[in-house]
Amino acid sequence: MEHRRTAVIKLDTPEGADAYLRETVEQFKHCANTASKWCWHGDDDGYHILSKAKAERALYDQLREDTELTANLVQKGIRQAVEATKSGVERLKNGQHTSRPTFTADTAIYDKRSATFHRDHVSLSTVNGRVECDYILPDDAETPPTKYVADEDYAFRRATLHRRDGEWYLHASMLKEDDDDTEPTGHRTVLGVDLGVTQLAVASTGRFWSAAEFTHWKREYEIRRGDLQQCGTRAAHEAIAGVKRKEAGRFEMYLHRVANELVAEAVEHDCSHIVFEDLTDIRENVPEASWHHLWAFRRLYEYVAYKATEQGVEAVQVDPRNTSKRCSTCGFTHEDNRDGEDFECLKCGYQNHADYNAAKNIGLQYLRRRQNADDGGAPVDVRLNRGTLNVSGEYNPPASGEA
């Protein structure tokens, strides 16, 4: 039986190594974005390129010449772009709007050829040779990621290097095999996500992503465009086009950042799925949302979908009916349960932020759907800040030492 875990390990980088690591991820992103552009625009017949071998034959030599990366890192960048392109094509087939994948996060993918994994440190290939970084781990041996890193039965398979808030982290994929012949349960843990106007995204773990920055810049750009439109000159119209480009670029960067943090939240809590509400009728479900918000919701889901795939996590959508009115504790559903951002169940008295309650319900909606699946529905829990919630609304506290 196999046990798979993702250990999020903070790294202690030696003096001078930060510059080498930053340049490494910049060149890795260059490889991925170059490959993404080539794969997305396709061949002469207009077809997207979904073959890793074909992409490597076309791009490998040039990217090796353009960068200082090892052969393995160049290949990983190309393959990352191909996988993201496959996800985008699949969404197009399903009638979903999407665009060419772009890679802006400070990340690079390593396997055992470009990294040597030890129990207390890692040796990483960079643009200037190898860099050895010690692990910064919790002292408690039963607390993740220490419990996985210290367990010799868990083998390092691959890892993604992340730079976040000026610090470096290793998201290590680890595998443990035992002699238990019982059939695996397929148990899954999901992260529910609610989207809104005041809070752009709220996760079932209790993490909030405020829409204040998005709303502020939306208003600023509206004012700038309005002032230029009043001028009516040709120069003003050209300036409006420039403002639109800056607006789109700023919002794209903002949404990429939120998407990266959502995926990191799922990985940190060992989630197999990130669950969103179905965006098909989002205009009816969030009537106060402007077209900017609706665009942002769809864009955010697209970014999360392909970024999650890189981490072995799947983004899915579920029917959002009643998720804002249902009590995530007892299941009682009534429109008066919610009053703006406040939720108070008229039946059991449960109180919390309305968007957080909705995020838990979105996760629970996926659980209910899994119960009706053809495979009988493997067990699924919704990940909370501490512990999990099952389909019956029963809270399961964390195991001893679990964060």
Side-chain angles (χ1 to χ4, degrees):
M1 180 176 177
E2 293 184 348
H3 304 271
R4 299 176 186 272
R5 295 290 185 270
T6 299
V8 181
I9 307 167
K10 187 174 182 180
L11 299 180
D12 182 11
T13 55
E15 185 176 355
D18 183 74
Y20 299 144
L21 293 173
R22 292 181 70 172
E23 182 60 26
T24 299
V25 298
E26 283 299 320
Q27 294 190 18
F28 186 89
K29 287 189 290 185
H30 170 73
C31 291
N33 284 314
T34 300
S36 171
K37 185 176 181 180
W38 186 82
C39 292
W40 192 256
H41 289 300
D43 55 23
D44 294 337
D45 295 325
Y47 290 101
H48 300 292
I49 305 301
L50 306 180
S51 167
K52 294 177 184 178
K54 187 173 183 179
E56 286 186 20
R57 285 196 300 270
L59 302 171
Y60 174 80
D61 289 341
Q62 184 60 51
L63 290 175
R64 281 282 280 157
E65 183 177 333
D66 291 345
T67 68
E68 301 166 282
L69 299 179
T70 61
N72 181 255
L73 286 174
V74 170
Q75 290 171 336
K76 283 287 187 287
I78 295 172
R79 292 172 185 179
Q80 182 185 39
V82 174
E83 288 300 319
T85 302
K86 287 181 180 178
S87 297
V89 170
E90 191 63 31
R91 290 195 293 276
L92 290 175
K93 289 180 179 178
N94 293 331
Q96 297 173 276
H97 172 73
T98 190
S99 58
R100 176 177 68 84
T102 55
F103 302 90
T104 61
D106 289 334
T107 65
I109 298 173
Y110 286 83
D111 64 15
K112 292 182 179 180
R113 288 174 291 175
S114 51
T116 304
F117 302 102
H118 301 275
R119 295 295 161 178
D120 60 351
H121 72 282
V122 64
S123 173
L124 299 170
S125 173
T126 74
V127 294
N128 190 39
R130 289 266 178 160
V131 167
E132 291 193 354
C133 304
D134 291 334
Y135 300 152
I136 301 176
L137 298 169
D139 292 332
D140 188 344
E142 293 301 314
T143 300
T146 305
K147 65 185 298 184
Y148 307 130
V149 175
D151 188 344
E152 295 285 348
D153 291 334
Y154 274 101
F156 287 89
R157 299 174 64 245
R158 51 172 273 174
T160 303
L161 179 68
H162 289 252
R163 188 173 190 272
R164 189 166 66 247
D165 299 327
E167 303 285 353
W168 291 98
Y169 295 84
L170 200 67
H171 290 209
S173 174
M174 309 187 74
L175 175 67
K176 175 181 179 180
E177 298 185 23
D178 58 34
D179 297 328
D180 188 350
D181 292 330
T182 58
E183 288 296 318
T185 63
H187 201 118
R188 306 175 183 183
T189 304
V190 304
L191 184 74
V193 179
D194 180 63
L195 303 175
V197 173
T198 304
Q199 306 294 335
L200 180 66
V202 178
S204 57
T205 52
R207 185 168 179 184
F208 286 65
W209 286 267
S210 172
E213 180 181 344
F214 178 87
T215 303
H216 167 75
W217 285 109
K218 180 173 73 72
R219 290 172 179 167
E220 286 292 315
Y221 284 117
E222 285 174 347
I223 292 172
R224 293 181 192 179
R225 287 197 301 272
D227 291 343
L228 290 168
Q229 286 172 346
Q230 288 183 351
C231 293
T233 63
R234 180 176 179 178
H237 284 295
E238 292 176 351
I240 289 173
V243 169
K244 288 182 178 179
R245 286 193 296 271
K246 289 181 180 179
E247 179 181 21
R250 179 180 289 274
F251 289 156
E252 294 279 356
M253 290 179 61
Y254 168 73
L255 293 172
H256 271 295
R257 188 176 77 242
V258 175
N260 289 333
E261 292 175 359
L262 267 168
V263 173
E265 187 78 1
V267 170
E268 185 173 346
H269 289 89
D270 289 330
C271 295
S272 60
H273 291 73
I274 304 175
V275 187
F276 291 81
E277 58 187 288
D278 191 325
L279 302 180
T280 303
D281 299 316
I282 189 69
R283 183 179 294 275
E284 287 73 27
N285 297 328
V286 189
E288 67 274 21
S290 68
W291 72 266
H292 287 88
H293 290 100
L294 302 178
W295 169 82
F297 296 158
R298 294 189 173 95
R299 204 63 150 182
L300 180 61
Y301 175 77
E302 292 172 7
Y303 291 159
V304 169
Y306 79 75
K307 290 172 186 288
T309 301
E310 300 164 11
Q311 302 297 327
V313 179
E314 183 180 356
V316 296
Q317 296 184 11
V318 296
D319 187 343
R321 282 179 293 183
N322 296 324
T323 51
S324 64
K325 304 173 185 176
R326 179 186 292 118
C327 176
S328 59
T329 299
C330 73
F332 177 71
T333 304
H334 196 284
E335 61 181 14
D336 291 338
N337 280 348
R338 177 166 185 164
D339 182 14
E341 295 187 355
D342 299 320
F343 185 92
E344 181 175 0
C345 179
L346 298 179
K347 183 177 180 180
C348 73
Y350 170 74
Q351 298 181 45
N352 216 313
H353 193 287
D355 294 337
Y356 174 59
N357 178 74
K360 291 196 289 183
N361 278 326
I362 288 169
L364 288 167
Q365 198 84 313
Y366 179 78
L367 272 61
R368 297 185 183 96
R369 189 174 79 181
R370 289 300 306 162
Q371 279 191 321
N372 298 322
D374 292 338
D375 60 4
V380 186
D381 292 326
V382 177
R383 172 60 73 174
L384 308 180
N385 183 38
R386 290 184 58 82
T388 58
L389 196 66
N390 66 24
V391 71
S392 301
E394 298 170 343
Y395 170 72
N396 299 306
S400 176
E402 182 181 341

